Each structure stands twice: as C-alpha cells, then as structure tokens.
Amino acid sequence: MFAFSEQAEKEIEKILNKYPEKHKQSALLPLLTLTQRQEGHVSPDAMREIARRLDVSPAYVQSVASFYTMYTLGDTPVGKYTILFCINISCQLNGCDELLDYTAKKLNIQVGETTADKKFTLRREECLAACTGGPMMRVNDTYHENITPARIDQILDSLK
Amino acid sequence: MTQILFKDINKKDLHTLAVYEETGGYKSLKKAFAKEPDEIIEMVKASGLRGRGGAGFPCGLKWSFLAKDVFPRYLCCNADESEPGTCKDRELLLKNPHLLIEGMILCSYACRIETGYIYLRGEFYDLCEIMEKALEEAYAKGYLGKNILGSGFDLDIHTHLGAGAYICGEESALLNSLEGMRGEPRMKPPFPAVQGLYAKPTVINNVETLCVVPYIVNEGAEKYAAIGTEKSKGTKLVSVSGHVKKPANYEVVLGTPVREIIYDMAGGMRDDNQLKAFIPGGSSVPMLRADQVDTPYDYESLQAAGSMLGSGALIVLDHTVNVVETSLRLVSFYMHESCGKCTPCREGTRWMWQILHQIQTGKGEAAHVEELLDICDNMSFKCFCPLGDAAVAPVASSIQNFRADYEELLQRMTANTV
C-alpha cells in the first residue's frame, strides 16, 4: 500500500500553497516527482492516492504521468543510482556513444536496464543542458561533465 | 569586452544574497519603485531587448500586450532549457540566482503581477534547490512578499519542476504543464498575454531575458541600446560547444562575427582541424557552411544567411563529421520529443528518422534525398507548433549545404552492392 512519508507530507503542504486553491491540479507534477523520488517508481496505487488528493481521476493522473519521461510507471523501482547519459549533438560530437557503451559493459547491462543488485539504472537521455561540458552524465541529481572512461570508473566506484 | 550578465559570474559565492548585494544586486528595485510601472515597460521597449529564449520577440512589446485591467496576472519564467546545444540559463541559475529574482521583481512591478513561477526542467533539481534557497533569502530581506521595500507592491515567486519533456519549453505547452496537464501546446490565439496561466494574462520570459532587465533599469535604456547593432541590441549569452578548444558560455556583443566567437573566444578548432559547419542557434535552426563564418552574430545577419540566432547555442562541427549522422541524431531527438498531437510532426519526424537511418546504415536509395526534401516541405509551417519546423531545419539545411555527404554514403552503398 502506498503512503507518502512524513517528510513528503510536509513537502506536500508547501507545494499546495504555491498554487491558487481552485487550481491545485498544478501540484500534479510535483506530487508525481515526490513519489518517484520516494519510491523509485510511480505505482498505480500511488497514482490513486495522488488523484484522491487533487480531486482528479486516477486515469487522468496516469495520462499526465505517461507524457513525461522522468516518471517510472509501474511496480518496478529504478536502481539506487540512475545514470542519465546525454546522447545529444554536443555530447555526440565529443564521443558520448563510446562512453555509453563503456558504461553499459562496465555495469554488465544493456542501456535502459538496472543492475541485478538494484544499484544502477542506466538510461540514454536527450540534451541535459551541459553542452559545453560534453560528454556528460547525470547520476541522480549530480551533473558530471567532461567525463572519460577513467572518470566514469572513479565516479561509479565511489558510489556505495 | 562588454559584460552585463557575466560581469561577476565567477565571483565566489555570488549565489548568496550578501555577495550579490556587494556587486550592486537589488539596487534597481528602489529606482524602479520610484517610477510608474508603465515607465519601466517603456524603458524595456526603448532598450530594444528581445526575448533570449529562441523567438527573439521584443520584450517590452510583449509586456505591453497584457490584457488591460484583467487581474490577477502571472509571470512564468521559462527555465526549461532543453534546446540541444544550449546551457546558458543553467550557468545563470547555478551561479547567479538572485539576478533572475531581481529581474522577475522588475517585470512583475512593471506588469502589475503579484505571482511568479519559475518553471525549471525536471533535471534541474539541483538548481531548484539553489533557487529555493535564494528565494528564501530574498523573502527574509523583504525583496519578496508583502509591501516590498515599502512600495506597496506585493510579489510571491515559486519554483515549479517539470518532468522531462522538451516541448514544455514552448510557452503554451509550459502553461499546460504548469497547470498539471500533459505538456501539449495550445492553440494560439488567444496568446498568453490575454489568456495564459489559469486563463489569466501571463508574461512568459526566458531566464536570460529577465536577467537583463536589472541592467536596463540601473543604467538606462539608452546605454543598453548603444550596445550591439542597429536592430540587435545588447549582448547575448552564447553556448559554444562541439569541436572547439574551449567550449563554454560566452557573453557576446550582438554583431560580433562568428569567426571571432569560434577562433578568438573559444580558442579555435580542436586539433586545429578544419571548420566544416556550424549551427548558430541551437538544434532547431538550419546549419551553415564554413564559408559563412564571417556572418555577424545577430538576429538579422543570421537570418539573411539562411539560419537563425535561436537560443544562442553555437554548435561547431569539424571536417571529420558527416552531417547525415548529425541530422540523424537531431531528428531522432525530435521524434522522441514530438508530443504526437499533430500528424505532420508525429509522422514526419518518424519518416525522416527511418530514411536517415537507412542512409546512415548503408541501406539508402538514390531517391531518398528527394523524399526527405518532400517530407520537409510537407512539415514546414504545417505543424501545430514550432517543433515540427525545428525538426525540418537540420535535414533541409544539411541537404542544401552538404548534399555531397549524402551522396558519399549513397555511393558507398552502391559500390558495396556492385
């Protein structure tokens, strides 16, 4: 059964205060984000709870959530660390494709998968707005720019 | 070198209120509050400031379009920076969040707005935390909230995170997303100035645009208008990326030749390779050839050269690149980001991707180039929002300027078959 954490409840109060009372649907993306960060995924159960809080239907929540790429819909959480690998133009010109292959091999998974120990999820991502530091990857909330195989080893090996 | 936005950008702890105030931060508020709101709009009009997000629409004019006497009104700062090649707003938000807050206060005062939202792309979670901290400091100092500096003017500013969708950088899609809907663009008119957020008059400005306003209020419109060219006023942050020695964000006086940006500011081509092509304004604008490198970097000159200034992302390609691969990568992006609402964009991006992918992987046919041009023609100005036109830009311009790259791949394929 899904429930927001105590910390999340405090956040929700702050979030709802940002929008006019009759437009609390504006809190939909923030609540989905809270859920994703708390659970590592957004389950149908969680969507029902969000729907209840914002007076919309669960189907509506799903239709919105499925539009955006940052929510992992379903019952399977992402790994402890999500690696988003930019593959867009500026990073591509500086060799991101080889580095992505390198990372996938290192973790022994395909792009899009999660390691068996649930530690890493590796995803291909479109431009992350760090083009002058390409190639780059984002590990959870941290941007790592000008990465090389050695830097990737260093960053991933340092994560517990 | 004229530096307005990046004057103190690398000063230690600039993101804190104390250091920001040391550099003269928030001084513009008192000056602004001594004037009538409309006077500020007139100043911004006179400065010639144009929107720095991509469309380049005159900023003061946009503000003056707000529906008369309809309240409440809203300000939405577009911090959804997602245009491939563009990372200037990220640097401003990361290092100088108070500059944006100051700009938003001035805009709100001028437009009689009492609520502002900063719509940050979902991946900017770190920046959102920095921004929250800066907002807290500004509230504590009385720059936000009720009766700011005794002026009688109230303003609240909130952050709002997106969740991964390029299209939300389009202003009406941004509004839908902020209202808790799918980020699909809206029919225009009505324009946001008439019916925007919650169907109320709304100003939507890019981060960089709002960050220029404190300078205009402090130094005067004339001083800003004296910088740049006759029609392209001021400076522009340019994200120089790709095959240059020193990729970075540079503050460029509009009208500076592209050559100077690539070879002087950004240190020239990596490994001293030959310049082949450059995309001057982000992935949504046509690419240009090396022989056009003396084009002045301003709105009119780039347009005359067949491209656009766009978001100010200068992507530099050297001679080792086959532009078919570049186009394929960009079309793949637009296919992924097409919201699916209208047919030409949804289908067209996929068809272009399929054909480019065939050419790139040695399965191309001689007729493919003409087919691509035909699809471009069927998408140009026929899509619901500018995303479709953006997807056409790399394909049409790469064929127009570098047809030999396509032929090379097609011939290699023919040679293999024989």
Side-chain angles (χ1 to χ4, degrees), chain A residues 83-133:
Chain A
I83 306 167
L84 298 183
F85 224 98
C86 174
I87 48 89
N88 212 299
I89 177 85
S90 305
C91 288
Q92 184 224 358
L93 291 170
N94 285 300
C96 70
D97 292 352
E98 292 75 15
L99 291 174
L100 178 59
D101 285 347
Y102 175 83
T103 309
K105 280 206 189 85
K106 177 181 168 69
L107 298 175
N108 200 20
I109 50 172
Q110 302 285 319
V111 178
E113 291 179 352
T114 300
T115 53
D117 61 1
K118 310 276 182 233
K119 191 167 169 189
F120 293 108
T121 298
L122 180 62
R123 283 182 54 191
R124 200 177 266 116
E125 190 54 72
E126 295 296 352
C127 188
L128 286 161
C131 316
T132 57

Side-chain angles (χ1 to χ4, degrees), chain B residues 2-7 99 211-212 215 224 227 234-235 251:
Chain B
T2 310
Q3 299 280 286
I4 293 170
L5 295 164
F6 272 3
K7 186 167 62 82
L99 181 62
C211 285
V212 176
Y215 179 90
Y224 189 77
I227 306 163
T235 62
E251 183 163 8

Side-chain angles (χ1 to χ4, degrees), chain A residues 18-19 23 25-26 37 60 63 67-71 87-90 92-93 97 126-129 131 138, chain B residues 84-85 87 90 117 121 123 125 159-160 163-164 177-178 180-183 198 240-241 243 325-326 329 333:
Chain A
K18 292 181 178 183
Y19 313 102
H23 296 293
Q25 190 186 314
S26 277
R37 293 178 73 88
Y60 181 78
S63 87
F67 185 85
Y68 299 91
T69 59
M70 288 182 74
Y71 306 126
I87 48 89
N88 212 299
I89 177 85
S90 305
Q92 184 224 358
L93 291 170
D97 292 352
E126 295 296 352
C127 188
L128 286 161
C131 316
R138 178 180 183 265
Chain B
C87 55
R90 183 172 167 82
Y117 294 98
R121 61 179 295 178
E123 293 88 348
Y125 198 88
T159 59
H160 183 99
S177 182
L178 182 47
M181 296 191 253
R182 294 164 68 88
Y198 310 131
V240 187
S241 71
H243 293 153
E325 192 183 2
T326 310
R329 187 60 56 115
F333 166 72

Side-chain angles (χ1 to χ4, degrees), chain B residues 326-348:
Chain B
T326 310
S327 300
L328 175 63
R329 187 60 56 115
L330 293 178
V331 165
S332 160
F333 166 72
Y334 289 108
M335 176 175 75
H336 181 258
E337 299 298 337
S338 173
C339 79
K341 177 168 177 151
C342 77
T343 310
C345 176
R346 184 186 62 239
E347 301 302 318

